[in-house]
Amino acid sequence: MATVLVTGANGEIGHGLLQAMAERGGHRVIALDLHAPDASVRDLCHRFVVGDILDVPLLRTLAAEHDFDQIFHLAALLSTKSEREPTLAHQVNVNGTLNLLELAVSLARRLGRSVRFLYPSSIAVYGLPSLEAKRAEGRIGEGAHLAPRTMYGINKLYCEQLGRYYSLFYRQLDAETPRGKVDFRGIRFPGLISAVTVPTGGTSDFAPEMLHHAAQGQPYACFVRPDTRIPFMAMPDAVQALVRLAAAPVERLSRQVYNVASFSPTAAELEHRVRAAFPAWSMTYEPDVKRQAILDSWPEDTDDSAARSDWGWAPEYDLDRAFDGYLLPGVRARYGVA
Ligand code: SER
């Protein structure tokens, strides 16, 4: 039975991850979130703690009470929200991650074994200089275009480096190197689309917003141009990626942070899929030039060959399967529509 800490457990990825862990078994989940859980989340946890990742005494108490084998640090402010409150974003996204890495390293040293640290990073770490460059570049690898233009992207890129530091070089000048280490593993996720939850404060939110508005019979004003293309992924694949990377033997991993990819539709292609399912739906395009500029700096697609060869990553949902086998049945069930 692995003891697992999940921060941001009440968020979008948290919902999916806790469900998957409960189905697989073998995990004792201690969940942490700023907000009290809904019943569907509470019942999946051994313990749910309402609290803040900036509360260092609380984190120390948790580390004293539980010998965590794995930490899934999901808590974060997304990119649009982070642009509106950059200082808060830095505090939560960077200082919060530093606090969790400190928790992990002190625990690893006390226990004399490694503590796995799973970190969702993002395509927001990339920053293409122009739409022309984005289109010319197409699919990009982990090392290219690391010049993000958002606070969130900068926070994520820096925390990837912090994780690498805690894994490989932490206190490298000390006379002795204790046995316990942080085993940091990051995944750069594309925009995620869930059938059961709606994100708040992201810039890729136009895709889930289209779907959830249509399913509820609500009109939608889409804040991007129809030709906007960024990578997306169905939530079960994001959860599968985290669980799979967490289980991979460390000697198989050639890097700390991996791209994962599944499909890259334009906004217009997403609209057509949603409209085919909900023909009476009313949607207009009302691009927000500032949010559009962020999307135009994110890649069209990412090269995930390292994840495929190192730890067997393979998405189960392409665009067809995502809509027909997960998103449409999921939102129809959620909102009780035919
Ligand atoms: N989906 C996130 C956002 O839009 C990016 O990781 O902020």
PDB file of all heavy atoms in Angstrom, residues 170-183:
ATOM      1  N   TYR A 170      20.720  18.698  -5.200  1.00  0.00           N
ATOM      2  CA  TYR A 170      20.339  19.341  -3.939  1.00  0.00           C
ATOM      3  C   TYR A 170      21.491  19.324  -2.935  1.00  0.00           C
ATOM      4  O   TYR A 170      22.049  18.267  -2.661  1.00  0.00           O
ATOM      5  CB  TYR A 170      19.118  18.620  -3.361  1.00  0.00           C
ATOM      6  CG  TYR A 170      18.600  19.213  -2.069  1.00  0.00           C
ATOM      7  CD1 TYR A 170      17.942  20.438  -2.057  1.00  0.00           C
ATOM      8  CD2 TYR A 170      18.792  18.547  -0.866  1.00  0.00           C
ATOM      9  CE1 TYR A 170      17.476  20.983  -0.877  1.00  0.00           C
ATOM     10  CE2 TYR A 170      18.315  19.085   0.329  1.00  0.00           C
ATOM     11  CZ  TYR A 170      17.666  20.311   0.309  1.00  0.00           C
ATOM     12  OH  TYR A 170      17.205  20.842   1.487  1.00  0.00           O
ATOM     13  N   ARG A 171      21.866  20.461  -2.425  1.00  0.00           N
ATOM     14  CA  ARG A 171      22.951  20.621  -1.431  1.00  0.00           C
ATOM     15  C   ARG A 171      24.205  19.876  -1.879  1.00  0.00           C
ATOM     16  O   ARG A 171      24.812  19.130  -1.111  1.00  0.00           O
ATOM     17  CB  ARG A 171      22.466  20.149  -0.056  1.00  0.00           C
ATOM     18  CG  ARG A 171      21.300  20.989   0.477  1.00  0.00           C
ATOM     19  CD  ARG A 171      21.003  20.703   1.909  1.00  0.00           C
ATOM     20  NE  ARG A 171      22.072  21.150   2.754  1.00  0.00           N
ATOM     21  CZ  ARG A 171      21.999  22.180   3.602  1.00  0.00           C
ATOM     22  NH1 ARG A 171      20.858  22.831   3.738  1.00  0.00           N
ATOM     23  NH2 ARG A 171      23.018  22.539   4.312  1.00  0.00           N
ATOM     24  N   GLN A 172      24.595  20.110  -3.122  1.00  0.00           N
ATOM     25  CA  GLN A 172      25.690  19.332  -3.717  1.00  0.00           C
ATOM     26  C   GLN A 172      27.040  19.576  -3.067  1.00  0.00           C
ATOM     27  O   GLN A 172      27.973  18.797  -3.273  1.00  0.00           O
ATOM     28  CB  GLN A 172      25.765  19.617  -5.219  1.00  0.00           C
ATOM     29  CG  GLN A 172      25.970  21.084  -5.567  1.00  0.00           C
ATOM     30  CD  GLN A 172      25.686  21.365  -7.029  1.00  0.00           C
ATOM     31  OE1 GLN A 172      26.364  20.854  -7.893  1.00  0.00           O
ATOM     32  NE2 GLN A 172      24.667  22.163  -7.304  1.00  0.00           N
ATOM     33  N   LEU A 173      27.150  20.667  -2.272  1.00  0.00           N
ATOM     34  CA  LEU A 173      28.451  20.940  -1.643  1.00  0.00           C
ATOM     35  C   LEU A 173      28.570  20.325  -0.252  1.00  0.00           C
ATOM     36  O   LEU A 173      29.645  20.383   0.353  1.00  0.00           O
ATOM     37  CB  LEU A 173      28.683  22.452  -1.556  1.00  0.00           C
ATOM     38  CG  LEU A 173      28.701  23.187  -2.911  1.00  0.00           C
ATOM     39  CD1 LEU A 173      28.982  24.662  -2.709  1.00  0.00           C
ATOM     40  CD2 LEU A 173      29.733  22.570  -3.848  1.00  0.00           C
ATOM     41  N   ASP A 174      27.512  19.734   0.262  1.00  0.00           N
ATOM     42  CA  ASP A 174      27.595  19.112   1.590  1.00  0.00           C
ATOM     43  C   ASP A 174      28.636  17.995   1.598  1.00  0.00           C
ATOM     44  O   ASP A 174      28.833  17.302   0.584  1.00  0.00           O
ATOM     45  CB  ASP A 174      26.230  18.520   2.001  1.00  0.00           C
ATOM     46  CG  ASP A 174      25.250  19.605   2.422  1.00  0.00           C
ATOM     47  OD1 ASP A 174      25.611  20.798   2.347  1.00  0.00           O
ATOM     48  OD2 ASP A 174      24.116  19.249   2.810  1.00  0.00           O
ATOM     49  N   ALA A 175      29.253  17.794   2.758  1.00  0.00           N
ATOM     50  CA  ALA A 175      30.316  16.776   2.855  1.00  0.00           C
ATOM     51  C   ALA A 175      29.752  15.374   2.618  1.00  0.00           C
ATOM     52  O   ALA A 175      30.383  14.536   1.974  1.00  0.00           O
ATOM     53  CB  ALA A 175      30.981  16.855   4.221  1.00  0.00           C
ATOM     54  N   GLU A 176      28.548  15.136   3.128  1.00  0.00           N
ATOM     55  CA  GLU A 176      27.962  13.799   2.961  1.00  0.00           C
ATOM     56  C   GLU A 176      26.683  13.893   2.146  1.00  0.00           C
ATOM     57  O   GLU A 176      25.959  14.871   2.234  1.00  0.00           O
ATOM     58  CB  GLU A 176      27.634  13.197   4.326  1.00  0.00           C
ATOM     59  CG  GLU A 176      28.883  12.773   5.061  1.00  0.00           C
ATOM     60  CD  GLU A 176      28.570  12.220   6.436  1.00  0.00           C
ATOM     61  OE1 GLU A 176      27.431  11.745   6.641  1.00  0.00           O
ATOM     62  OE2 GLU A 176      29.470  12.290   7.278  1.00  0.00           O
ATOM     63  N   THR A 177      26.404  12.867   1.361  1.00  0.00           N
ATOM     64  CA  THR A 177      25.161  12.814   0.586  1.00  0.00           C
ATOM     65  C   THR A 177      24.261  11.745   1.202  1.00  0.00           C
ATOM     66  O   THR A 177      24.563  10.552   1.089  1.00  0.00           O
ATOM     67  CB  THR A 177      25.459  12.445  -0.883  1.00  0.00           C
ATOM     68  OG1 THR A 177      26.493  13.305  -1.360  1.00  0.00           O
ATOM     69  CG2 THR A 177      24.227  12.604  -1.744  1.00  0.00           C
ATOM     70  N   PRO A 178      23.182  12.167   1.864  1.00  0.00           N
ATOM     71  CA  PRO A 178      22.280  11.172   2.458  1.00  0.00           C
ATOM     72  C   PRO A 178      21.645  10.288   1.386  1.00  0.00           C
ATOM     73  O   PRO A 178      21.592  10.661   0.207  1.00  0.00           O
ATOM     74  CB  PRO A 178      21.214  12.018   3.155  1.00  0.00           C
ATOM     75  CG  PRO A 178      21.752  13.390   3.203  1.00  0.00           C
ATOM     76  CD  PRO A 178      22.719  13.529   2.093  1.00  0.00           C
ATOM     77  N   ARG A 179      21.135   9.133   1.791  1.00  0.00           N
ATOM     78  CA  ARG A 179      20.612   8.175   0.805  1.00  0.00           C
ATOM     79  C   ARG A 179      19.288   8.622   0.176  1.00  0.00           C
ATOM     80  O   ARG A 179      19.068   8.432  -0.996  1.00  0.00           O
ATOM     81  CB  ARG A 179      20.429   6.807   1.470  1.00  0.00           C
ATOM     82  CG  ARG A 179      21.737   6.020   1.495  1.00  0.00           C
ATOM     83  CD  ARG A 179      21.515   4.557   1.758  1.00  0.00           C
ATOM     84  NE  ARG A 179      20.666   4.332   2.914  1.00  0.00           N
ATOM     85  CZ  ARG A 179      19.630   3.502   2.936  1.00  0.00           C
ATOM     86  NH1 ARG A 179      19.306   2.836   1.859  1.00  0.00           N
ATOM     87  NH2 ARG A 179      18.914   3.347   4.033  1.00  0.00           N
ATOM     88  N   GLY A 180      18.425   9.206   0.977  1.00  0.00           N
ATOM     89  CA  GLY A 180      17.089   9.536   0.467  1.00  0.00           C
ATOM     90  C   GLY A 180      17.107  10.723  -0.487  1.00  0.00           C
ATOM     91  O   GLY A 180      17.732  11.742  -0.214  1.00  0.00           O
ATOM     92  N   LYS A 181      16.425  10.572  -1.629  1.00  0.00           N
ATOM     93  CA  LYS A 181      16.400  11.643  -2.627  1.00  0.00           C
ATOM     94  C   LYS A 181      14.986  11.904  -3.114  1.00  0.00           C
ATOM     95  O   LYS A 181      14.111  11.033  -3.009  1.00  0.00           O
ATOM     96  CB  LYS A 181      17.219  11.223  -3.844  1.00  0.00           C
ATOM     97  CG  LYS A 181      18.706  11.239  -3.606  1.00  0.00           C
ATOM     98  CD  LYS A 181      19.425  11.068  -4.927  1.00  0.00           C
ATOM     99  CE  LYS A 181      20.874  11.469  -4.730  1.00  0.00           C
ATOM    100  NZ  LYS A 181      21.595  11.602  -5.963  1.00  0.00           N
ATOM    101  N   VAL A 182      14.810  13.067  -3.698  1.00  0.00           N
ATOM    102  CA  VAL A 182      13.562  13.353  -4.413  1.00  0.00           C
ATOM    103  C   VAL A 182      13.715  12.805  -5.832  1.00  0.00           C
ATOM    104  O   VAL A 182      14.713  13.040  -6.494  1.00  0.00           O
ATOM    105  CB  VAL A 182      13.282  14.869  -4.475  1.00  0.00           C
ATOM    106  CG1 VAL A 182      12.016  15.136  -5.274  1.00  0.00           C
ATOM    107  CG2 VAL A 182      13.163  15.452  -3.076  1.00  0.00           C
ATOM    108  N   ASP A 183      12.732  12.046  -6.254  1.00  0.00           N
ATOM    109  CA  ASP A 183      12.721  11.485  -7.613  1.00  0.00           C
ATOM    110  C   ASP A 183      11.650  12.254  -8.390  1.00  0.00           C
ATOM    111  O   ASP A 183      10.477  11.882  -8.410  1.00  0.00           O
ATOM    112  CB  ASP A 183      12.412   9.988  -7.492  1.00  0.00           C
ATOM    113  CG  ASP A 183      12.296   9.296  -8.835  1.00  0.00           C
ATOM    114  OD1 ASP A 183      12.375   9.972  -9.875  1.00  0.00           O
ATOM    115  OD2 ASP A 183      12.086   8.067  -8.830  1.00  0.00           O
TER     116      ASP A 183
END
